[in-house]
């Protein structure tokens, strides 16, 4: 009986190994929002973190029309994790057709609450708009059609006793396009639902004298949950001399039920182990706190995320 040489044995091992099926990498498509908002830079940072920290994954980032589109894409299996506003998530779970959902999005599962979105109504100073009532007859951009921002606009205006038919003109535009029209004096104001210091409004304030319009506490109270009272601190934007009361809505990261428990666990864990990198991508992420992670979660928590929070002693 012939003894196999060392070289032949090594070659056989290589051939056997090459015949084994390669382990395919898991996709993590991160659904964000428009490139001029807050979701997008945070999504890019999250994708980079996942690529570095979660083995055998292929993260990617998709720019979208934000909350409503993201939730519909998740239901269709076209993403693994998505940014969305709390009220949009609630309406998606309820299957609210007016909000842009054909039926109950029953595959949605929660990962974590992140930071609050502030409803920021900014007018050009020359428009003379100082209060919500002053919007009557004026030209306002309310965000992309049926986006989370537009749902916020409808809710706030209704609570203030206004409707779209009370406005001079309604534009359904993303943040950056709204700002360009304001610079060209084709719009009087823009309503943007985003983290504080959003790039689009910083850009506007650097070019045009602005007024940040107050949303009074009684209007916020009338809208009700998941809206809460908030404040846009003085100096958030160029020319903003004082604090401005407004409304806020918590953002969530959401996944779908058929994402594996292990992947959902890894995605959740990696967020909280790399908050510094997310905060470096956008200051809004500084408001992400593990103790607030499950507050107001509008959909069932994914079991993988639940496992992580149990390890950390966080419960709903």
């Amino acid at each position: 009986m012939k003894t196999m040489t060392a070289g032949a044995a090594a070659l056989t091992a290589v051939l056997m190994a090459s015949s084994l099926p390669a382990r395919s990498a898991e996709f993590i498509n991160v659904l964000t929002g428009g490139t001029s908002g807050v979701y997008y830079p945070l999504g890019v940072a999250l994708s980079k973190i996942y690529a570095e920290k979660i083995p055998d994954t292929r993260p990617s980032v998709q720019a979208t029309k934000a909350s409503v589109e993201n939730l519909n894409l998740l239901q269709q299996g076209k993403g693994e994790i998505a940014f969305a506003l709390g009220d949009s998530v609630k309406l998606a779970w309820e299957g609210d057709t007016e909000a842009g959902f054909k039926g109950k999005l029953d595959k949605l599962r929660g990962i974590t609450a992140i930071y609050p979105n502030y409803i920021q109504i900014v007018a050009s100073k020359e428009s003379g708009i100082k209060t919500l009532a002053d919007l009557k007859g004026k030209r306002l951009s309310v965000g992309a059609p049926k986006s989370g921002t537009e749902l916020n606009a409808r809710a706030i205006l209704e609570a203030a006793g206004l409707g779209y038919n009370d406005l001079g003109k309604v534009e359904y535009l993303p943040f950056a396009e709204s700002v360009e029209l304001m610079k060209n004096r084709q719009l009087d104001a823009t309503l943007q639902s985003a983290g504080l210091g959003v790039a689009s409004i910083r850009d506007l304030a650097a070019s045009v004298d602005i007024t940040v319009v107050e949303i009074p506490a009684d209007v916020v109270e009338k809208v009700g949950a998941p809206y809460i009272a908030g404040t846009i601190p003085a100096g958030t934007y160029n020319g903003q001399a004082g604090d401005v009361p407004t409304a806020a809505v918590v953002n969530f990261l959401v996944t779908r039920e058929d994402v594996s428990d292990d992947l959902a666990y890894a995605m959740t864990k990696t967020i909280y182990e790399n908050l510094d990198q997310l905060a470096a991508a956008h200051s809004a992420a500084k408001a992400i706190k593990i103790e607030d992670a499950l507050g107001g979660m509008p959909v069932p928590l994914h079991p993988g995320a639940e496992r992580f929070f149990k390890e950390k002693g966080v419960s709903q």
Side-chain angles (χ1 to χ4, degrees), residues 76 85 114 157 228 254:
Q76 296 160 22
L85 272 166
I114 41 176
L157 290 174
I228 56 174
V254 186

Side-chain angles (χ1 to χ4, degrees), residues 32-227:
T32 61
T35 55
S36 60
V38 177
Y39 287 175
Y40 187 78
L42 285 180
V44 170
L46 196 56
S47 174
K48 287 178 181 174
I49 292 165
Y50 285 163
E52 292 169 6
K53 307 290 185 180
I54 307 179
D56 302 315
T57 58
R58 290 180 59 185
S60 59
V61 181
Q62 185 174 340
T64 67
K65 293 175 183 173
S67 300
V68 176
E69 183 181 7
N70 290 351
L71 296 168
N72 282 316
L73 287 170
L74 277 182
Q75 179 75 11
Q76 296 160 22
K78 295 178 180 177
E80 283 63 51
I81 190 166
F83 290 79
L85 272 166
D87 57 336
S88 298
V89 180
K90 180 175 180 285
L91 293 170
W93 187 250
E94 293 169 354
D96 190 306
T97 54
E98 287 189 15
F101 306 109
K102 291 181 179 177
K104 179 183 173 71
L105 303 195
D106 58 356
K107 294 180 181 177
L108 301 181
R109 295 295 182 269
I111 290 287
T112 183
I114 41 176
Y115 63 90
N117 253 28
Y118 291 80
I119 317 302
Q120 300 169 75
I121 303 176
V122 180
S124 62
K125 193 153 277 186
E126 68 177 24
S127 71
I129 297 168
K130 294 179 181 177
T131 68
L132 289 175
D134 293 336
L135 290 169
K136 194 167 185 177
K138 301 293 187 179
R139 301 167 298 176
L140 174 70
S141 176
V142 294
K146 293 190 174 177
S147 62
T149 293
E150 202 237 322
L151 294 181
N152 293 166
R154 287 176 185 270
I156 295 297
L157 290 174
E158 183 181 345
L162 295 168
Y164 286 176
N165 58 348
D166 294 311
L167 303 174
K169 185 179 185 182
V170 179
E171 292 282 5
Y172 299 87
L173 295 171
F175 296 173
E177 291 176 39
S178 303
V179 164
E180 288 309 308
L181 287 188
M182 285 189 70
K183 287 180 184 177
N184 295 330
R185 294 180 167 81
Q186 294 172 277
L187 271 180
D188 299 306
T190 176
L191 183 148
Q192 303 195 3
S193 180
L196 294 174
V198 63
S200 51
I201 299 179
R202 287 206 318 267
D203 175 35
L204 176 66
S207 307
V208 175
D209 289 336
I210 64 164
T211 299
V212 183
V213 180
E214 175 184 352
I215 300 176
D218 62 324
V219 170
V220 181
E221 191 176 334
K222 191 171 180 182
V223 181
Y227 291 77

Side-chain angles (χ1 to χ4, degrees), residues 242-272:
D243 291 351
V244 178
T246 192
V249 186
V250 174
N251 286 286
F252 290 85
L253 283 169
V254 186
T255 187
R256 49 188 167 82
E257 65 174 355
D258 54 340
V259 165
S260 73
D261 289 3
D262 286 345
L263 182 57
Y265 172 85
M267 289 194 299
T268 311
K269 183 174 187 280
T270 306
I271 291 165
Y272 284 98

Side-chain angles (χ1 to χ4, degrees), residues 235-314:
T236 299
Y237 300 108
N238 186 42
Q240 183 199 340
D243 291 351
V244 178
T246 192
V249 186
V250 174
N251 286 286
F252 290 85
L253 283 169
V254 186
T255 187
R256 49 188 167 82
E257 65 174 355
D258 54 340
V259 165
S260 73
D261 289 3
D262 286 345
L263 182 57
Y265 172 85
M267 289 194 299
T268 311
K269 183 174 187 280
T270 306
I271 291 165
Y272 284 98
E273 289 181 346
N274 297 276
L275 287 177
D276 56 337
Q277 289 187 50
L278 290 174
H282 198 286
S283 59
K286 292 176 183 175
I288 302 174
K289 294 178 173 61
I290 195 165
E291 58 268 27
D292 300 329
L294 304 180
M297 179 68 70
V299 294
L301 193 61
H302 193 288
E306 186 177 15
R307 190 201 333 161
F308 169 74
F309 291 120
K310 276 185 177 176
E311 288 177 0
K312 295 296 180 183
V314 178

